Amino acid sequence: MAASLDLTHVLYDDSSLFSLFLALMTLSPILLMVAAYAALAVYTREFIIIVMWVGQFACEGLNWVIKRLVKQDRPIDYIGNGYGFPSSHSQYMGYFASFLICHLFFRHEFGSTGYWLLDFAWRAAVYSAVSAWAGLVAYSRYNLGYHNSYQIFWGFGIGVALGVSLYVVCEYLPRCRPRSIFGKTKVLLLDNPISTWLQIRDGWDVWTDGGRGEEWVRWRAEWDRRQVTARKTN
């Protein structure tokens, strides 16, 4: 029996550039799950990124379960496969945006320009960009006919609830209450032979920027040293 893999198959109005743009937006979560998460997790070995990635898989699993419990059809039966409630794309981006914004707001310290207004504008621009991306993906599912507004709002809401909840349990509470069960569990996950062998770290627990600035300083010092050596040899 033949089947269609609907992972990258998107129907859109080829006479509209906006429809094409929304079709590309609706595909962007695939790039997050396959490329961005995997590359960041392997390269940085950051605990927070691994937790966020695992949570994203859990979010998809929860969506799969809810769809088969509710069994609500899509608004247009020939567009999209499977059930429509809740929208998996909206839930995906709701989780992604809420978890990331929580992390940026509570843990990450942006580099300062020396002007508080510019610093505030930059932070607001980052939050707005992440929120707009999530909103465009959710809206694309409505505009392209894959879901109705009810399915999208519920999907987005479930994603936001899961993202905030996971961040609170895995990051906020362990930091605020290190002696609680949440703090002890996080220490256990980081301080064990397997995590040590994999070199998993929690950079934001040591540096406000996750260690990016410290790494750059070390790189710059080594780069300057090599430049001086190269000039002497020439």
Side-chain angles (χ1 to χ4, degrees), residues 108-148:
H108 185 75
E109 182 177 301
F110 291 86
S112 177
T113 62
Y115 300 94
W116 73 268
L117 187 59
L118 288 178
D119 294 343
F120 175 80
W122 172 241
R123 292 181 71 96
V126 172
Y127 298 149
S128 299
V130 173
S131 300
W133 183 11
L136 279 171
V137 172
Y139 175 72
S140 72
R141 305 307 288 175
Y142 175 80
N143 184 277
L144 297 173
Y146 284 86
H147 297 281
N148 57 38

Side-chain angles (χ1 to χ4, degrees), residues 77-97:
D77 56 5
Y78 62 86
I79 297 182
N81 294 330
Y83 299 113
F85 180 90
S87 166
S88 59
H89 284 69
S90 301
Q91 185 174 324
Y92 185 108
M93 293 305 294
Y95 167 86
F96 170 80

Side-chain angles (χ1 to χ4, degrees), residues 23-164:
L24 295 174
M25 283 292 99
T26 209
L27 290 173
S28 61
I30 298 174
L31 299 177
L32 276 178
M33 180 64 86
V34 178
Y37 273 129
L40 286 172
V42 172
Y43 178 72
T44 67
R45 315 292 176 91
E46 279 290 348
F47 177 78
I48 186 67
I49 294 175
I50 296 172
V51 167
M52 189 177 179
W53 193 17
V54 171
Q56 198 79 74
F57 278 109
C59 185
E60 290 297 290
L62 178 62
N63 182 270
W64 187 89
V65 171
I66 295 175
K67 280 185 173 179
R68 280 149 186 80
L69 289 175
V70 178
K71 298 182 179 180
Q72 186 179 102
D73 293 331
R74 294 175 182 270
I76 305 176
D77 56 5
Y78 62 86
I79 297 182
N81 294 330
Y83 299 113
F85 180 90
S87 166
S88 59
H89 284 69
S90 301
Q91 185 174 324
Y92 185 108
M93 293 305 294
Y95 167 86
F96 170 80
S98 60
F99 192 102
L100 180 58
I101 289 174
C102 282
H103 172 65
L104 293 175
F105 183 81
F106 289 108
R107 294 297 300 274
H108 185 75
E109 182 177 301
F110 291 86
S112 177
T113 62
Y115 300 94
W116 73 268
L117 187 59
L118 288 178
D119 294 343
F120 175 80
W122 172 241
R123 292 181 71 96
V126 172
Y127 298 149
S128 299
V130 173
S131 300
W133 183 11
L136 279 171
V137 172
Y139 175 72
S140 72
R141 305 307 288 175
Y142 175 80
N143 184 277
L144 297 173
Y146 284 86
H147 297 281
N148 57 38
S149 59
Y150 177 80
Q151 296 167 346
I152 290 170
F153 286 135
W154 268 97
F156 201 88
I158 293 171
V160 169
L162 183 59
V164 172

